[in-house]
Amino acid sequence: MAQILLTFYILMTCLAMNVHSQQDYTGISSQDCDSNNQTGNNSQPYLYACNGEKRFCQAFLIFKSKPPYNSVKTISNLTSSSPKELARVNNVTESQLFPTNKEVIIPVDCSCAGQYYQKNTSIIIGDSETYYVLANDILQGLSTCNSLMRDNKEGELDLIAGMELKVPLRCACPTRNQFRNGTKYLLTYPLNSGESVSDIGERFNVTEKSILYANGFSEDDPNPTIFTSTPILIPLPTEPSSTSLTIIQNSDDDTKAPTFPPLVGSDPRKQKSTRKLYVVIAITAGCSLLVLVVALSVFFLVYKKRPKGLLLPRMGTRRLSPEDLRAEIASFEKGIHVYEIEEIKKATESFSSERQIKGSVFYGVFGKDTTLAVKRTRKDVFKEVNILKKLNHFNLIKLEGVCKYNDRFYQVFEYMENGSLREWLCENCSSEKNWSWAMRIQIALDIAHGLNYLHSFTKPGYVHKNIKSSNILLDGNMRAKIANFGLAGPAMDLETTTTTSTSTDHSQRTTASHVVGTRGYVDPAYLATGITTPKIDVFAFGVVVLELMTRKNAVAVQNGREVLLSKAVVEIMEGDCPEADLGVFIDPSLKEDNRYREFALRLAKLSVACLKREPESRPSMAEVVSTLSKIQADHLQKIDL
Ligand SMILES: *[C@@H]1O[C@H](CO)[C@@H](O)[C@H](O)[C@H]1NC(C)=O
Ligand SMILES: *[C@@H]1O[C@H](CO)[C@@H](O)[C@H](O)[C@H]1NC(C)=O
Ligand SMILES: *[C@@H]1O[C@H](CO)[C@@H](O)[C@H](O)[C@H]1NC(C)=O
Ligand SMILES: *[C@@H]1O[C@H](CO)[C@@H](O)[C@H](O)[C@H]1NC(C)=O
Ligand SMILES: *[C@@H]1O[C@H](CO)[C@@H](O)[C@H](O)[C@H]1NC(C)=O
Ligand SMILES: *[C@@H]1O[C@H](CO)[C@@H](O)[C@H](O)[C@H]1NC(C)=O
Ligand SMILES: *[C@@H]1O[C@H](CO)[C@@H](O)[C@H](O)[C@H]1NC(C)=O
């Protein structure tokens, strides 16, 4: 009898726990795009479960203003919320512009759709944006990569600028338990660097206990591990008020503001001592007299907390060598032609569909017979143009000119007859192309030369950050050039960043919310630290080499789950018989070559070296160039024999 009672009691407690359990904090995994893992296809969208008392409620989100989403109008449009309500809750007028990184409260009507709460909105996708970038950068963790992929049928590689995507935002309604304890609303709050649960409790005047409970943390551990830029739920007894909001000073957008070392993935307990300093900084940053003091203390802090093992080659401190001279000559700014909109319209026949190459790229005939490519965007291309005009290398796409008209930007590039490398490799093509070893090795070498120049022969050294086969273009002679510098930026030099004064550089330290790139090519080390180094491109190059060898996509779907090309090949190379397994993996058309095994193995080894988990273990692009040159020479010699 006692046993039955005990079982019954356990059963009831389990049931009760199920009914009353809150939303579990999903941590850093909610930023992931791996919707399908080995356990089948019940992928976690990382939205909040529909376990509230009501299926529909008023909820709130916190969003940090960031151009172009820096006004009542644009933020309400982004989130499909009422501009009037948004203005009221934030105690501003509807025409208000917010300073960058100002926290803005977004009132949303949250409702159950199937198993999960969500607020539906939509977004027009911009250039080189991915599900990952949308969820974690533009929407700041308020949506998730997995739920975006669930609600949109387009694959990651099919995203084209101008497409409209459905966006579920993360929101939730209080459970019965929370209601009983006076919680009326749940606020979805993406964490800032260095914040702890108790800081947040103080800010919103709610108990730590209620926050721990709302996110499924154990009460025994008041300092659970939480991650920058992932959201937690804050239970509120009243509407959130604009008085608890502040401007967060940790973005890389605001170059005047001091920036912090990345704290992503670190245990906040270890940052207890520095946390107070951050609060002090946030309070005083607005005061111009104290800015210097703040900057100095931050740099002191950065200096002391510098991550180990991430030291990069010093780029600024090389002795003058012939290489420097070459860099100087190459960096003479080319004249960039400024086109009139009429010229552009005439050349593209007013952007007629016949002139469309792909998405927002058109071909234009300028003058009598000069064919150029015109890329039309709404995003400010100033940064990209500024980089491009410094570049002068055969393997980097050449920018011929620019035009700005009515909030739109037009970039005019050299025209690349053979389209992108991805199209050329065309995984499912039935028609035969000349996919010879010689051609593929030449393309790899072209990309390597372009990257080597970008990393080492420009000042500052740049990182492309979005190397992928669709950003490699092929000219009439099948020579490859790197295109799309929209995400490119200067490489970080930690040595000089920490020892020189504030005025000399705008530190590129970022949090993971600013990590950019394309799924399948993103360096896991970059994902974890957000630190921009040339090794990001080396990693992505490793993936492109695999595409060249296999003609497969960087991300493939097999038996309903996603497979990363890079992972698959690393597994093969670490397996028992790499040679045999590689034979199955590589493109059949390469096997006509009777020494294909040797070259396949050499290329695969090069690729695997580029894909090493630790950035320090990967070769530099200069080393890649010399390895590939050797492979090319051996291959040519073989043909001669
Ligand atoms: C797959 O997902 C389950 C839960 O959904 C998780 O427990 C497991 O660790 C995941 N496996 C991998 C390899 O990520
Ligand atoms: C996985 O998804 C496929 C198609 O979406 C479906 O046919 C299959 O039943 C699913 N398998 C499981 C275990 O849910
Ligand atoms: C945002 O504005 C654009 C046009 O400016 C409009 O097409 C779109 O529907 C708006 N989106 C929402 C969610 O209101
Ligand atoms: C709203 O802002 C005005 C000034 O812009 C201020 O006087 C008023 O106290 C604010 N109200 C709240 C509730 O913060
Ligand atoms: C939101 O979208 C989902 C699917 O995309 C749909 O099932 C749900 O009904 C929508 N909710 C509302 C309130 O429109
Ligand atoms: C904080 O909340 C308590 C009740 O939980 C309330 O009495 C107090 O006035 C609040 N403080 C502020 C500053 O709103
Ligand atoms: C609700 O309040 C009671 C008593 O004040 C407290 O024991 C309980 O832990 C609270 N529950 C939550 C979820 O805050």
Side-chain angles (χ1 to χ4, degrees):
M1 190 62 200
Q3 270 168 337
I4 293 172
L5 270 178
L6 189 65
T7 318
F8 183 68
Y9 174 70
I10 290 171
L11 238 166
M12 284 314 286
T13 12
C14 287
L15 275 176
M17 269 166 64
N18 251 332
V19 170
H20 299 295
S21 80
Q22 307 305 297
Q23 308 290 353
D24 284 339
Y25 176 67
T26 45
I28 198 87
S29 52
S30 65
Q31 288 189 348
D32 222 343
C33 292
D34 246 332
S35 59
N36 295 306
N37 73 9
Q38 278 81 348
T39 50
N41 46 5
N42 49 344
S43 69
Q44 245 272 36
Y46 298 115
L47 298 173
Y48 291 117
C50 245
N51 63 1
E53 189 172 54
K54 298 180 181 159
R55 296 182 61 79
F56 178 92
C57 70
Q58 167 87 67
F60 297 91
L61 322 172
I62 293 282
F63 179 83
K64 286 188 270 295
S65 89
K66 215 166 263 187
Y69 305 110
N70 60 344
S71 67
V72 171
K73 219 168 107 189
T74 52
I75 295 175
S76 61
N77 182 289
L78 177 68
T79 54
S80 296
S81 56
S82 146
K84 208 167 146 194
E85 269 295 285
L86 197 146
R88 182 187 66 74
V89 177
N90 290 283
N91 193 22
V92 294
T93 62
E94 276 186 56
S95 57
Q96 181 85 18
L97 274 179
F98 298 104
T100 296
N101 285 325
K102 172 88 170 70
E103 290 182 319
V104 178
I105 304 168
I106 302 172
V108 294
D109 39 348
C110 185
S111 61
C112 278
Q115 270 179 281
Y116 300 99
Y117 282 115
Q118 65 187 56
K119 158 72 188 173
N120 293 342
T121 180
S122 63
I123 193 169
I124 307 280
I125 191 164
D127 247 4
S128 57
E129 281 167 9
T130 61
Y131 286 125
Y132 184 89
V133 170
L134 272 183
N136 298 314
D137 194 14
I138 294 173
L139 292 160
Q140 305 173 8
L142 292 174
S143 186
T144 65
C145 193
N146 281 359
S147 66
L148 284 170
M149 293 202 277
R150 184 199 63 178
D151 285 3
N152 296 282
K153 54 184 183 306
E154 288 81 11
E156 180 85 70
L157 297 164
D158 304 328
L159 298 182
I160 303 173
M163 237 175 212
E164 185 171 355
L165 295 181
K166 289 187 203 163
V167 176
L169 297 173
R170 303 176 88 176
C171 60
C173 299
T175 59
R176 192 179 313 154
N177 244 8
Q178 286 174 316
F179 256 123
R180 274 200 214 122
N181 276 19
T183 295
K184 283 222 180 66
Y185 308 104
L186 290 174
L187 174 72
T188 312
Y189 178 83
L191 289 155
N192 298 309
S193 280
E195 249 174 353
S196 72
V197 168
S198 66
D199 295 334
I200 297 162
E202 254 171 63
R203 266 186 76 186
F204 292 93
N205 193 23
V206 293
T207 62
E208 268 184 73
K209 202 171 146 191
S210 70
I211 298 178
L212 293 174
Y213 182 76
N215 295 281
F217 292 123
S218 155
E219 279 182 25
D220 305 331
D221 181 4
N223 273 310
T225 304
I226 50 181
F227 298 87
T228 304
S229 306
T230 61
I232 63 168
L233 287 174
I234 304 176
L236 299 172
T238 56
E239 266 192 6
S241 125
S242 57
T243 51
S244 45
L245 303 184
T246 132
I247 296 176
I248 303 300
Q249 297 275 326
N250 67 346
S251 163
D252 61 342
D253 287 354
D254 190 353
T255 48
K256 279 185 231 55
T259 48
F260 300 121
L263 296 172
V264 175
S266 49
D267 186 338
R269 270 167 293 195
K270 297 193 189 100
Q271 282 134 24
K272 263 244 129 109
S273 56
T274 55
R275 215 180 60 218
K276 291 292 176 252
L277 183 56
Y278 287 20
V279 174
V280 173
I281 288 164
I283 293 165
T284 54
C287 179
S288 58
L289 259 181
L290 289 177
V291 162
L292 189 65
V293 177
V294 170
L296 283 177
S297 38
V298 166
F299 270 87
F300 187 59
L301 195 98
V302 164
Y303 184 67
K304 287 182 71 170
K305 287 188 61 72
R306 183 173 76 209
K308 293 192 179 67
L310 286 163
L311 300 184
L312 305 175
R314 291 160 172 247
M315 277 175 181
T317 55
R318 267 183 288 138
R319 270 176 296 126
L320 202 67
S321 66
E323 286 180 0
D324 288 295
L325 215 58
R326 261 164 61 198
E328 289 296 314
I329 294 165
S331 66
F332 278 143
E333 294 190 359
K334 292 174 292 171
I336 298 279
H337 184 72
V338 178
Y339 287 94
E340 299 293 331
I341 186 68
E342 284 73 29
E343 283 178 89
I344 304 254
K345 279 192 173 155
K346 185 159 166 245
T348 58
E349 292 176 340
S350 294
F351 299 98
S352 72
S353 51
E354 278 105 76
R355 288 281 161 109
Q356 189 171 27
I357 297 172
K358 197 178 179 203
S360 53
V361 183
F362 295 79
Y363 76 81
V365 181
F366 292 79
K368 275 220 178 71
D369 54 1
T370 312
T371 303
L372 298 171
V374 177
K375 186 170 171 185
R376 175 171 69 167
T377 53
R378 252 175 297 146
K379 210 172 60 175
D380 191 343
V381 296
F382 180 75
K383 196 177 126 221
E384 185 177 354
V385 169
N386 245 344
I387 295 176
L388 278 168
K389 71 181 186 188
K390 289 186 202 160
L391 306 179
N392 187 8
H393 190 276
F394 177 75
N395 298 117
L396 304 181
I397 193 91
K398 188 164 164 225
L399 178 70
E400 301 285 350
V402 289
C403 170
K404 179 174 187 289
Y405 181 74
N406 270 359
D407 294 341
R408 281 187 182 247
F409 295 87
Y410 305 86
Q411 287 165 285
V412 181
F413 291 102
E414 63 182 309
Y415 177 64
M416 302 291 281
E417 283 93 331
N418 282 308
S420 76
L421 176 59
R422 184 66 261 161
E423 287 159 0
W424 182 69
L425 289 174
C426 118
E427 189 178 2
N428 302 315
C429 270
S430 47
S431 66
E432 287 289 308
K433 293 189 188 178
N434 178 13
W435 285 304
S436 68
W437 271 107
M439 213 169 244
R440 298 192 213 201
I441 294 172
Q442 181 62 57
I443 289 170
L445 195 52
D446 279 339
I447 304 168
H449 273 302
L451 284 176
N452 186 31
Y453 168 86
L454 192 66
H455 294 167
S456 305
F457 295 100
T458 60
K459 279 189 173 174
Y462 285 102
V463 181
H464 185 282
K465 291 203 249 182
N466 202 10
I467 291 295
K468 53 177 170 179
S469 52
S470 53
N471 281 341
I472 307 295
L473 303 181
L474 301 167
D475 73 6
N477 298 316
M478 292 305 291
R479 297 300 298 270
K481 303 189 188 214
I482 299 167
N484 200 350
F485 286 73
L487 300 181
M492 276 163 47
D493 184 343
L494 290 176
E495 287 289 294
T496 52
T497 313
T498 50
T499 52
T500 57
S501 78
T502 56
S503 60
T504 54
D505 74 56
H506 303 314
S507 168
Q508 292 294 305
R509 283 165 206 292
T510 56
T511 63
S513 66
H514 305 106
V515 169
V516 289
T518 303
R519 177 124 187 89
Y521 298 89
V522 181
D523 170 6
Y526 173 50
L527 208 56
T529 64
I531 299 176
T532 302
T533 78
K535 297 297 172 74
I536 296 170
D537 290 345
V538 175
F539 185 92
F541 175 80
V543 179
V544 174
V545 169
L546 295 180
E547 292 182 73
L548 278 166
M549 293 172 62
T550 61
R551 279 180 41 220
K552 293 185 196 302
N553 277 307
V555 184
V557 177
Q558 272 176 13
N559 307 327
R561 72 185 182 92
E562 226 177 55
V563 181
L564 296 188
L565 189 55
S566 54
K567 270 195 190 152
V569 172
V570 169
E571 272 165 26
I572 286 178
M573 293 300 282
E574 285 170 354
D576 295 335
C577 39
E579 283 191 49
D581 291 344
L582 208 57
V584 179
F585 206 61
I586 71 166
D587 181 8
S589 66
L590 284 174
K591 296 182 187 170
E592 288 155 18
D593 193 316
N594 57 5
R595 267 173 68 197
Y596 85 91
R597 274 178 207 281
E598 176 196 328
F599 290 104
L601 207 58
R602 285 171 75 178
L603 279 182
K605 277 186 179 157
L606 175 67
S607 164
V608 167
C610 293
L611 296 171
K612 284 242 161 65
R613 220 180 153 80
E614 308 76 28
E616 313 89 86
S617 322
R618 297 175 203 150
S620 69
M621 236 38 234
E623 289 167 316
V624 170
V625 166
S626 67
T627 306
L628 272 172
S629 301
K630 185 79 174 58
I631 293 176
Q632 187 179 47
D634 291 350
H635 189 258
L636 285 175
Q637 201 176 30
K638 193 215 88 192
I639 289 175
D640 286 347
L641 285 178

